[in-house]
Amino acid sequence: MALRNALGVAFPLAAGIALGNPSGGAMAATGALDVAFSDGSDPYPHRGRRMLSAAFFVALAVFAGRLCGGNHLLSLLLEAACAFAAGLLVAAGPTPGDIGSITLVTLIVFSAWPASSFGKALSSGLVALAGGVLQTIFSLALWPVHRYQPESRALAKLYDELASSAAIGVPASESPAATEPILAARAALGPLDSARSVEAERYLALFSQAERIRLALLALRRQGIRIAREPGTGADTALLDRARELAARMLHSIGEALAAGVKGDPHTECLQELHALADRLRTPRPGDAQLDATRADVRWQLDALTGQLASAVELAAHTSDTGAREFDRHQAAQPWSLRLAGVFAVLRANLTLDSAAFRHALRLAACVLLAEALSRGIGWQRAYWGPMTVAIVLKPDFTTTFSRGVLRLAGTF
């Protein structure tokens, strides 16, 4: 991060000096420097939106400051309004608050450097925007290469924390383990909810399995404490300790595989031993119905944990390059109707009125047809604007359609 931020500031300066316009280079470097404060190591969509927002507001502050700086009363009112907005944005969270603060600082600085004309103020804002966009490009340059690296890191940390909690155990009087990593992973994987790809679904499934494993470990821990209170249950207690040890080993391996981006150990022996441990709990203990009920609950939780671990191991293996290629080869060998990533399979699955995409397709076809017929029947010039606007505005959900319609009308007007 330090390297790319340094490059983002140095490159505009060097370009400005080389082109004989050092002041323009300094302006672009200022935009890059301000946007660098919004850089981070979080997922690329989050980072890109945050940095582009910072670039826009910084450029707006440069433009407004240089334009209004000559009028002291106007610049004072503008800075007061910006200060109020920046202070209020703190309530929206740290990211909006940081962007508001850097915008305010930029406005104050450039209000002291007024431009002689509107054109120069506008060009200054555009040059600062270019520097901020360049800094954003440097930050997102590895997106095509390491598209899901931040998500992998968040999940790796979560699985490592689960492994530690499984190995050590958390007392029932304390809060459940891995609370902070699970919140961080949920935030990191938030943008994947709208991504329609097998890779995104795989990461979301890994997170879902982590949540289930966390609950299963918590339940096993508390049931183990309950069993340990009964006399003659040392074998059952040792069995649960062994199960948690195997789970910790597998969880740690999953975390390492996700962090390194490699295909991990399938842990066939561990899974077989977990199944064997669950089978040992199927033998009832005569004369103690309450203990048998608790052992049945433990067996159920252990069966669930074994399945969750097996699923997580397989999902983590497919996130690596080797695993992804193996998965693609397996998918290519399947009939097209059974391929998870097949376009035709997805379309075929949506050929029903129960599908929102299918209903949207019907609406879009009907509206385009109606708009085309009305436009041609009336005989207006540029009749294609009617169906073109339908195609631009109409979306599957009402909120997006309404906002696009308002923006289209306002923009055209």
Side-chain angles (χ1 to χ4, degrees):
M1 190 189 309
L3 176 62
R4 64 177 179 246
N5 288 340
L7 289 175
V9 174
F11 185 79
L13 283 173
I17 293 172
L19 296 174
N21 186 9
S23 60
M27 191 76 67
T30 300
L33 177 63
D34 289 344
V35 172
F37 288 103
S38 298
D39 200 355
S41 58
D42 50 334
Y44 290 109
H46 277 171
R47 192 190 316 172
R49 285 194 294 269
R50 182 178 65 247
M51 296 183 71
L52 287 176
S53 298
F56 170 77
F57 284 108
V58 164
L60 185 62
V62 171
F63 166 71
R66 296 213 67 193
L67 182 64
C68 304
N71 189 322
H72 296 297
L73 179 60
L74 183 59
S75 63
L76 182 63
L77 293 175
L78 186 62
E79 290 173 12
C82 185
F84 177 80
L88 197 61
L89 283 173
V90 174
T95 297
D98 292 341
I99 294 177
S101 298
I102 199 65
T103 302
L104 177 60
V105 171
T106 305
L107 177 65
I108 293 173
V109 170
F110 283 92
S111 293
W113 187 23
S116 57
S117 64
F118 177 88
K120 288 188 176 181
L122 180 61
S123 63
S124 298
L126 292 176
V127 169
L129 178 64
V133 171
L134 178 66
Q135 188 70 272
T136 305
I137 292 173
F138 279 140
S139 181
L140 305 182
L142 293 179
W143 191 348
V145 182
H146 302 295
R147 186 177 181 183
Y148 295 108
Q149 189 180 61
E151 290 86 349
S152 295
R153 284 199 299 262
L155 284 173
K157 185 176 181 180
L158 172 58
Y159 275 91
D160 281 338
E161 189 70 22
L162 289 175
S164 299
S165 66
I168 301 173
V170 178
S173 58
E174 296 184 6
S175 60
T179 300
E180 291 185 4
I182 212 165
L183 293 176
R186 182 179 289 115
L189 272 66
L192 298 184
D193 287 334
S194 58
R196 297 182 178 272
S197 67
V198 175
E199 292 82 4
E201 293 294 336
R202 191 175 290 134
Y203 281 96
L204 292 173
L206 271 169
F207 176 70
S208 177
Q209 292 299 342
E211 289 185 311
R212 296 169 186 270
I213 291 170
R214 178 175 180 246
L215 292 176
L217 289 172
L218 180 63
L220 283 174
R221 177 69 180 174
R222 294 184 175 179
Q223 289 167 346
I225 294 174
R226 189 179 307 167
I227 289 178
R229 294 171 183 164
E230 303 295 331
T233 56
D236 291 341
T237 304
L239 183 150
L240 289 177
D241 291 340
R242 177 58 179 168
R244 285 196 298 269
E245 179 185 345
L246 294 172
R249 184 189 306 174
M250 295 180 66
L251 289 168
H252 183 65
S253 176
I254 293 171
E256 287 185 335
L258 288 170
V262 298
K263 186 177 180 181
D265 189 343
H267 290 287
T268 307
E269 297 82 2
C270 291
L271 292 173
Q272 290 175 349
E273 187 173 352
L274 284 171
H275 281 298
L277 293 175
D279 288 337
R280 287 169 55 185
L281 290 171
R282 301 183 193 279
T283 305
R285 294 172 63 93
D288 197 338
Q290 184 176 1
L291 181 59
D292 282 343
T294 303
R295 295 175 81 246
D297 289 340
V298 172
R299 185 184 68 244
W300 186 86
Q301 291 290 347
L302 191 54
D303 285 336
L305 178 62
T306 304
Q308 292 153 5
L309 288 170
S311 177
V313 167
E314 182 180 0
L315 289 167
H318 287 157
T319 60
S320 65
D321 292 337
T322 303
R325 286 193 294 269
E326 291 179 359
F327 178 80
D328 291 339
R329 287 196 297 268
H330 176 73
Q331 286 289 295
Q334 297 288 332
W336 69 267
S337 59
L338 299 179
R339 297 179 188 177
L340 293 176
V343 175
F344 291 109
V346 173
L347 296 178
R348 179 172 175 268
N350 282 276
L351 290 177
T352 171
L353 284 174
D354 294 332
S355 169
F358 184 73
R359 295 194 298 270
H360 170 65
L362 291 179
R363 283 194 301 268
L364 183 60
C367 291
V368 168
L369 182 62
L370 182 61
E372 181 72 24
L374 288 175
S375 300
R376 290 183 179 273
I378 294 174
W380 284 340
Q381 291 183 343
R382 299 183 179 86
Y384 64 89
W385 276 32
M388 179 185 70
T389 300
V390 170
I392 292 173
V393 169
L394 187 59
K395 296 298 173 186
D397 61 290
F398 172 77
T399 303
T400 307
T401 301
F402 182 79
S403 61
R404 280 178 173 265
V406 171
L407 291 172
R408 176 71 177 174
L409 289 172
T412 304
F413 176 76

